Amino acid sequence: AQSVTQLGSHVSVSEGALVLLRCNYSSSVPPYLFWYVQYPNQGLQLLLKYTTGATLVKGINGFEAEFKKSETSFHLTKPSAHMSDAAEYFCAVRNFGNEKLTFGTGTRLTIIP
Amino acid sequence: SQTIHQWPATLVQPVGSPLSLECTVEGTSNPNLYWYRQAAGRGLQLLFYSVGIGQISSEVPQNLSASRPQDRQFILSSKKLLLSDSGFYLCAWSVRAPTNEKLFFGSGTQLSVL
């Protein structure tokens, strides 16, 4: 079975501050991990993904995430928040060869001017 | 390039009425297809997925059903809508496992059942 837990349904940061969105996963086999972003009234867009190899992955819009197997975590970070980063962010997990992608409950990111 | 179309964008339906949401994918063959529902504060819930024509897997028992009459068409239906069916419905596709690394989402349908 696979599952994802996102800590914090709402996160607020000041413009220019560090963004940290937390994600922990549960998987019986090595997982594929993803972060998606959703802007209001839109579908989801892939920010970044981890499959194999380097554990620090870089995505679009300056975001990056690090896969830490010992902590079963895949936290999303961005060094300096921008107003355009305000959106809802979803962490997701899929096991290799599995057809299903399981999402967390999402974290709404608000940027304070 | 591949595109996914989902319609309608918004829908207001009375309780007890039927539902049909349609999703089509272009530019790819034999995709996996998915229906997700997004309810406020509950994240994304996988409702159905399909790995081929006529092959539907249901993730949660509910008032909804799905069908895949053609390779790139996925339909979400209900015979009688409930208030609890309100939400934002997202269709998505991916290539087949094991290389199905990511989903591509449609723009969603906001369903309000009154």
Side-chain angles (χ1 to χ4, degrees):
Chain A
Q2 54 191 39
S3 66
V4 171
T5 301
Q6 288 183 245
L7 297 178
S9 58
H10 292 85
V11 171
S12 296
V13 301
S14 298
E15 189 175 15
L18 171 71
V19 175
L20 171 60
L21 304 183
R22 299 179 185 274
C23 172
N24 289 88
Y25 70 91
S26 173
S27 175
S28 57
V29 298
Y32 288 171
L33 295 161
F34 308 82
W35 276 99
Y36 284 82
V37 60
Q38 184 183 32
Y39 297 102
N41 300 315
Q42 295 185 25
L44 279 70
Q45 304 171 35
L46 182 67
L47 267 181
L48 49 80
K49 63 182 180 182
Y50 168 78
T51 54
T52 58
T55 56
L56 180 63
V57 293
K58 296 185 184 299
I60 62 173
N61 302 336
F63 284 93
E64 61 183 35
E66 186 171 10
F67 169 59
K68 292 187 177 181
K69 184 178 179 180
S70 61
E71 299 177 8
T72 61
S73 69
F74 191 58
H75 301 331
L76 181 71
T77 60
K78 182 174 180 178
S80 178
H82 190 273
M83 294 301 295
S84 61
D85 295 328
E88 187 146 20
Y89 293 79
F90 292 90
C91 184
V93 62
R94 163 178 278 157
N95 292 339
F96 177 80
N98 194 321
E99 308 291 354
K100 298 185 296 182
L101 190 65
T102 300
F103 286 87
T105 52
T107 298
R108 184 168 298 279
L109 177 64
T110 300
I111 309 300
I112 304 167
Chain B
S1 63
Q2 303 90 354
T3 57
I4 179 169
H5 303 281
Q6 185 181 343
W7 68 93
T10 60
L11 189 60
V12 180
Q13 292 284 100
V15 169
S17 64
L19 173 73
S20 180
L21 302 181
E22 189 162 347
C23 172
T24 59
V25 180
E26 297 178 357
T28 187
S29 298
N30 302 314
N32 288 347
L33 296 172
Y34 306 81
W35 278 111
Y36 283 87
R37 177 170 58 202
Q38 185 176 18
R42 296 183 62 185
L44 281 163
Q45 181 184 37
L46 178 61
L47 302 176
F48 302 95
Y49 72 95
S50 171
V51 299
I53 296 174
Q55 300 179 62
I56 308 295
S57 295
S58 175
E59 289 298 295
V60 292
Q62 58 202 315
N63 185 43
L64 302 168
S65 62
S67 61
R68 185 170 177 173
Q70 301 179 41
D71 180 48
R72 290 170 288 176
Q73 184 184 28
F74 205 26
I75 298 171
L76 183 69
S77 304
S78 174
K79 293 182 179 178
K80 290 186 178 181
L81 283 168
L82 306 173
L83 288 174
S84 58
D85 292 325
S86 293
F88 191 55
Y89 288 83
L90 288 160
C91 180
W93 75 272
S94 74
V95 299
R96 294 288 180 86
T99 58
N100 54 344
E101 295 179 345
K102 65 179 182 179
L103 295 183
F104 299 88
F105 284 85
S107 54
T109 297
Q110 182 65 54
L111 173 65
S112 299
V113 182
L114 306 176

